[in-house]
Amino acid sequence: MPNKTILITGIAGFIGFHAARRFIREGYRVIGLDEVNDYYDPTLKEARLTELGTDYTFYRVSLEETAAVARIFEQESIDLVLHLAAQAGVRYSIDRPDVYMTSNIVGFLSILEACRHYPVEQLIYASSSSVYGSNTKMPFATTDAVDHPLSLYAASKKANELMAHTYSCLLYTSPSPRD
């Protein structure tokens, strides 16, 4: 799929960085979005961004900045979205639940709304094994129930899965609300 534009949220994170490197190498036009917060070492994140060089476009934006996210979609003609950004950490969600709701729920809604108003070919959302919560069956399977998360982080990731499913159904399996 070279000659496609992909937006990678959380590009300064471990997975985002490695995904960006691969997509750049394969000829994609890469747009990166990350707020570069201090939950993990910002120096490491900045080093990753520097290592990517000049072969991509970077926006230092928080996902919950809905208008800024929409402007990126409007300006960049995005074909694909790889949504990796999230406030991570199970323990931190106990101390700062507001951060998880803002980043993971409001931030993901911002991405979904941008995809709705500036249609993309595909949105790939990275959830978390934390959604399996109190399941005891190992190994986990995608068919396992994920109805009993054990942390606010896990609950936010499960909520995102439900939001993605709902948007997918509304946008691709039924008439558009604009019709």
PDB file of all heavy atoms in Angstrom, residues 11-13 17 21 36 41-53 56 60:
ATOM      1  N   ILE A  11       3.081   7.891  18.422  1.00  0.00           N
ATOM      2  CA  ILE A  11       4.258   7.581  17.612  1.00  0.00           C
ATOM      3  C   ILE A  11       5.559   7.596  18.414  1.00  0.00           C
ATOM      4  O   ILE A  11       6.527   6.933  18.046  1.00  0.00           O
ATOM      5  CB  ILE A  11       4.354   8.529  16.394  1.00  0.00           C
ATOM      6  CG1 ILE A  11       5.357   7.982  15.367  1.00  0.00           C
ATOM      7  CG2 ILE A  11       4.676   9.953  16.835  1.00  0.00           C
ATOM      8  CD1 ILE A  11       5.327   8.695  14.028  1.00  0.00           C
ATOM      9  N   ALA A  12       5.599   8.311  19.523  1.00  0.00           N
ATOM     10  CA  ALA A  12       6.824   8.374  20.327  1.00  0.00           C
ATOM     11  C   ALA A  12       6.967   7.189  21.276  1.00  0.00           C
ATOM     12  O   ALA A  12       8.014   7.014  21.894  1.00  0.00           O
ATOM     13  CB  ALA A  12       6.881   9.677  21.113  1.00  0.00           C
ATOM     14  N   GLY A  13       5.927   6.370  21.376  1.00  0.00           N
ATOM     15  CA  GLY A  13       5.999   5.178  22.220  1.00  0.00           C
ATOM     16  C   GLY A  13       6.764   4.068  21.527  1.00  0.00           C
ATOM     17  O   GLY A  13       7.101   4.155  20.336  1.00  0.00           O
ATOM     18  N   PHE A  17       6.836   4.001  17.512  1.00  0.00           N
ATOM     19  CA  PHE A  17       8.117   4.286  16.880  1.00  0.00           C
ATOM     20  C   PHE A  17       8.505   3.186  15.896  1.00  0.00           C
ATOM     21  O   PHE A  17       8.873   3.450  14.750  1.00  0.00           O
ATOM     22  CB  PHE A  17       9.202   4.451  17.951  1.00  0.00           C
ATOM     23  CG  PHE A  17      10.608   4.348  17.430  1.00  0.00           C
ATOM     24  CD1 PHE A  17      11.145   5.376  16.665  1.00  0.00           C
ATOM     25  CD2 PHE A  17      11.368   3.232  17.691  1.00  0.00           C
ATOM     26  CE1 PHE A  17      12.447   5.283  16.182  1.00  0.00           C
ATOM     27  CE2 PHE A  17      12.667   3.128  17.215  1.00  0.00           C
ATOM     28  CZ  PHE A  17      13.204   4.150  16.450  1.00  0.00           C
ATOM     29  N   ARG A  21       8.789   3.448  11.791  1.00  0.00           N
ATOM     30  CA  ARG A  21      10.006   3.090  11.047  1.00  0.00           C
ATOM     31  C   ARG A  21       9.696   2.126   9.916  1.00  0.00           C
ATOM     32  O   ARG A  21      10.172   2.281   8.797  1.00  0.00           O
ATOM     33  CB  ARG A  21      11.024   2.454  11.995  1.00  0.00           C
ATOM     34  CG  ARG A  21      12.203   3.303  12.222  1.00  0.00           C
ATOM     35  CD  ARG A  21      13.323   2.737  13.010  1.00  0.00           C
ATOM     36  NE  ARG A  21      13.294   1.326  13.337  1.00  0.00           N
ATOM     37  CZ  ARG A  21      14.152   0.771  14.147  1.00  0.00           C
ATOM     38  NH1 ARG A  21      15.096   1.495  14.730  1.00  0.00           N
ATOM     39  NH2 ARG A  21      14.093  -0.510  14.424  1.00  0.00           N
ATOM     40  N   VAL A  36       3.691  13.447  24.000  1.00  0.00           N
ATOM     41  CA  VAL A  36       4.983  13.260  24.663  1.00  0.00           C
ATOM     42  C   VAL A  36       4.872  13.654  26.145  1.00  0.00           C
ATOM     43  O   VAL A  36       5.580  14.525  26.628  1.00  0.00           O
ATOM     44  CB  VAL A  36       6.121  14.029  23.954  1.00  0.00           C
ATOM     45  CG1 VAL A  36       7.477  13.627  24.516  1.00  0.00           C
ATOM     46  CG2 VAL A  36       6.100  13.805  22.447  1.00  0.00           C
ATOM     47  N   ASP A  41       9.668   8.129  30.191  1.00  0.00           N
ATOM     48  CA  ASP A  41      10.745   9.096  30.019  1.00  0.00           C
ATOM     49  C   ASP A  41      10.611   9.902  28.718  1.00  0.00           C
ATOM     50  O   ASP A  41      10.757   9.349  27.631  1.00  0.00           O
ATOM     51  CB  ASP A  41      12.083   8.360  30.038  1.00  0.00           C
ATOM     52  CG  ASP A  41      13.275   9.279  29.918  1.00  0.00           C
ATOM     53  OD1 ASP A  41      13.100  10.514  29.959  1.00  0.00           O
ATOM     54  OD2 ASP A  41      14.392   8.753  29.779  1.00  0.00           O
ATOM     55  N   PRO A  42      10.333  11.220  28.804  1.00  0.00           N
ATOM     56  CA  PRO A  42      10.205  12.050  27.602  1.00  0.00           C
ATOM     57  C   PRO A  42      11.500  12.130  26.793  1.00  0.00           C
ATOM     58  O   PRO A  42      11.460  12.281  25.579  1.00  0.00           O
ATOM     59  CB  PRO A  42       9.822  13.435  28.131  1.00  0.00           C
ATOM     60  CG  PRO A  42       9.447  13.258  29.546  1.00  0.00           C
ATOM     61  CD  PRO A  42      10.036  11.974  30.019  1.00  0.00           C
ATOM     62  N   THR A  43      12.644  11.991  27.460  1.00  0.00           N
ATOM     63  CA  THR A  43      13.921  12.031  26.746  1.00  0.00           C
ATOM     64  C   THR A  43      14.010  10.868  25.767  1.00  0.00           C
ATOM     65  O   THR A  43      14.464  11.030  24.632  1.00  0.00           O
ATOM     66  CB  THR A  43      15.098  11.979  27.748  1.00  0.00           C
ATOM     67  OG1 THR A  43      14.922  13.009  28.710  1.00  0.00           O
ATOM     68  CG2 THR A  43      16.420  12.144  27.049  1.00  0.00           C
ATOM     69  N   LEU A  44      13.568   9.708  26.198  1.00  0.00           N
ATOM     70  CA  LEU A  44      13.551   8.533  25.324  1.00  0.00           C
ATOM     71  C   LEU A  44      12.595   8.749  24.163  1.00  0.00           C
ATOM     72  O   LEU A  44      12.908   8.426  23.007  1.00  0.00           O
ATOM     73  CB  LEU A  44      13.162   7.288  26.123  1.00  0.00           C
ATOM     74  CG  LEU A  44      13.022   5.982  25.348  1.00  0.00           C
ATOM     75  CD1 LEU A  44      14.321   5.619  24.637  1.00  0.00           C
ATOM     76  CD2 LEU A  44      12.591   4.861  26.283  1.00  0.00           C
ATOM     77  N   LYS A  45      11.429   9.308  24.438  1.00  0.00           N
ATOM     78  CA  LYS A  45      10.454   9.577  23.383  1.00  0.00           C
ATOM     79  C   LYS A  45      11.016  10.567  22.367  1.00  0.00           C
ATOM     80  O   LYS A  45      10.860  10.384  21.151  1.00  0.00           O
ATOM     81  CB  LYS A  45       9.150  10.116  23.982  1.00  0.00           C
ATOM     82  CG  LYS A  45       8.413   9.103  24.841  1.00  0.00           C
ATOM     83  CD  LYS A  45       7.183   9.751  25.466  1.00  0.00           C
ATOM     84  CE  LYS A  45       6.470   8.821  26.404  1.00  0.00           C
ATOM     85  NZ  LYS A  45       5.275   9.435  26.981  1.00  0.00           N
ATOM     86  N   GLU A  46      11.648  11.624  22.853  1.00  0.00           N
ATOM     87  CA  GLU A  46      12.246  12.620  21.953  1.00  0.00           C
ATOM     88  C   GLU A  46      13.350  11.988  21.101  1.00  0.00           C
ATOM     89  O   GLU A  46      13.477  12.296  19.914  1.00  0.00           O
ATOM     90  CB  GLU A  46      12.802  13.809  22.743  1.00  0.00           C
ATOM     91  CG  GLU A  46      11.759  14.629  23.479  1.00  0.00           C
ATOM     92  CD  GLU A  46      10.807  15.415  22.579  1.00  0.00           C
ATOM     93  OE1 GLU A  46      11.044  15.521  21.363  1.00  0.00           O
ATOM     94  OE2 GLU A  46       9.803  15.929  23.115  1.00  0.00           O
ATOM     95  N   ALA A  47      14.127  11.094  21.700  1.00  0.00           N
ATOM     96  CA  ALA A  47      15.186  10.412  20.948  1.00  0.00           C
ATOM     97  C   ALA A  47      14.595   9.552  19.835  1.00  0.00           C
ATOM     98  O   ALA A  47      15.138   9.504  18.718  1.00  0.00           O
ATOM     99  CB  ALA A  47      16.038   9.560  21.885  1.00  0.00           C
ATOM    100  N   ARG A  48      13.484   8.892  20.115  1.00  0.00           N
ATOM    101  CA  ARG A  48      12.820   8.089  19.078  1.00  0.00           C
ATOM    102  C   ARG A  48      12.360   8.980  17.927  1.00  0.00           C
ATOM    103  O   ARG A  48      12.532   8.642  16.751  1.00  0.00           O
ATOM    104  CB  ARG A  48      11.631   7.340  19.668  1.00  0.00           C
ATOM    105  CG  ARG A  48      12.002   6.209  20.586  1.00  0.00           C
ATOM    106  CD  ARG A  48      10.746   5.578  21.167  1.00  0.00           C
ATOM    107  NE  ARG A  48      11.075   4.519  22.095  1.00  0.00           N
ATOM    108  CZ  ARG A  48      10.399   4.267  23.204  1.00  0.00           C
ATOM    109  NH1 ARG A  48       9.335   5.017  23.527  1.00  0.00           N
ATOM    110  NH2 ARG A  48      10.755   3.282  23.995  1.00  0.00           N
ATOM    111  N   LEU A  49      11.743  10.101  18.267  1.00  0.00           N
ATOM    112  CA  LEU A  49      11.262  11.014  17.230  1.00  0.00           C
ATOM    113  C   LEU A  49      12.423  11.526  16.383  1.00  0.00           C
ATOM    114  O   LEU A  49      12.321  11.617  15.156  1.00  0.00           O
ATOM    115  CB  LEU A  49      10.489  12.176  17.859  1.00  0.00           C
ATOM    116  CG  LEU A  49       9.192  11.793  18.575  1.00  0.00           C
ATOM    117  CD1 LEU A  49       8.626  12.988  19.319  1.00  0.00           C
ATOM    118  CD2 LEU A  49       8.179  11.223  17.595  1.00  0.00           C
ATOM    119  N   THR A  50      13.532  11.841  17.024  1.00  0.00           N
ATOM    120  CA  THR A  50      14.722  12.305  16.311  1.00  0.00           C
ATOM    121  C   THR A  50      15.256  11.205  15.401  1.00  0.00           C
ATOM    122  O   THR A  50      15.638  11.461  14.253  1.00  0.00           O
ATOM    123  CB  THR A  50      15.813  12.752  17.309  1.00  0.00           C
ATOM    124  OG1 THR A  50      15.284  13.826  18.092  1.00  0.00           O
ATOM    125  CG2 THR A  50      17.080  13.194  16.603  1.00  0.00           C
ATOM    126  N   GLU A  51      15.261   9.979  15.901  1.00  0.00           N
ATOM    127  CA  GLU A  51      15.773   8.859  15.102  1.00  0.00           C
ATOM    128  C   GLU A  51      14.944   8.625  13.840  1.00  0.00           C
ATOM    129  O   GLU A  51      15.470   8.152  12.831  1.00  0.00           O
ATOM    130  CB  GLU A  51      15.821   7.581  15.947  1.00  0.00           C
ATOM    131  CG  GLU A  51      16.518   6.441  15.232  1.00  0.00           C
ATOM    132  CD  GLU A  51      16.668   5.196  16.092  1.00  0.00           C
ATOM    133  OE1 GLU A  51      16.802   5.323  17.320  1.00  0.00           O
ATOM    134  OE2 GLU A  51      16.656   4.089  15.511  1.00  0.00           O
ATOM    135  N   LEU A  52      13.666   8.968  13.878  1.00  0.00           N
ATOM    136  CA  LEU A  52      12.839   8.816  12.675  1.00  0.00           C
ATOM    137  C   LEU A  52      13.265   9.771  11.567  1.00  0.00           C
ATOM    138  O   LEU A  52      12.904   9.589  10.411  1.00  0.00           O
ATOM    139  CB  LEU A  52      11.354   9.015  13.014  1.00  0.00           C
ATOM    140  CG  LEU A  52      10.699   7.896  13.813  1.00  0.00           C
ATOM    141  CD1 LEU A  52       9.269   8.287  14.180  1.00  0.00           C
ATOM    142  CD2 LEU A  52      10.712   6.580  13.040  1.00  0.00           C
ATOM    143  N   GLY A  53      14.011  10.790  11.914  1.00  0.00           N
ATOM    144  CA  GLY A  53      14.536  11.710  10.903  1.00  0.00           C
ATOM    145  C   GLY A  53      13.492  12.676  10.398  1.00  0.00           C
ATOM    146  O   GLY A  53      12.590  13.101  11.131  1.00  0.00           O
ATOM    147  N   TYR A  56       8.906  11.990   8.017  1.00  0.00           N
ATOM    148  CA  TYR A  56       7.532  11.929   8.505  1.00  0.00           C
ATOM    149  C   TYR A  56       7.148  13.322   9.002  1.00  0.00           C
ATOM    150  O   TYR A  56       8.001  14.192   9.173  1.00  0.00           O
ATOM    151  CB  TYR A  56       7.390  10.882   9.618  1.00  0.00           C
ATOM    152  CG  TYR A  56       7.957  11.323  10.947  1.00  0.00           C
ATOM    153  CD1 TYR A  56       7.116  11.623  12.006  1.00  0.00           C
ATOM    154  CD2 TYR A  56       9.326  11.458  11.146  1.00  0.00           C
ATOM    155  CE1 TYR A  56       7.628  12.039  13.232  1.00  0.00           C
ATOM    156  CE2 TYR A  56       9.844  11.863  12.362  1.00  0.00           C
ATOM    157  CZ  TYR A  56       8.995  12.154  13.387  1.00  0.00           C
ATOM    158  OH  TYR A  56       9.492  12.567  14.595  1.00  0.00           O
ATOM    159  N   ARG A  60       2.706  17.532  17.844  1.00  0.00           N
ATOM    160  CA  ARG A  60       2.701  17.389  19.302  1.00  0.00           C
ATOM    161  C   ARG A  60       1.332  17.883  19.771  1.00  0.00           C
ATOM    162  O   ARG A  60       1.124  19.066  20.005  1.00  0.00           O
ATOM    163  CB  ARG A  60       3.822  18.206  19.927  1.00  0.00           C
ATOM    164  CG  ARG A  60       3.996  17.975  21.420  1.00  0.00           C
ATOM    165  CD  ARG A  60       5.166  18.782  21.957  1.00  0.00           C
ATOM    166  NE  ARG A  60       6.384  18.493  21.244  1.00  0.00           N
ATOM    167  CZ  ARG A  60       7.317  17.614  21.628  1.00  0.00           C
ATOM    168  NH1 ARG A  60       7.160  16.963  22.750  1.00  0.00           N
ATOM    169  NH2 ARG A  60       8.392  17.407  20.899  1.00  0.00           N
TER     170      ARG A  60
END
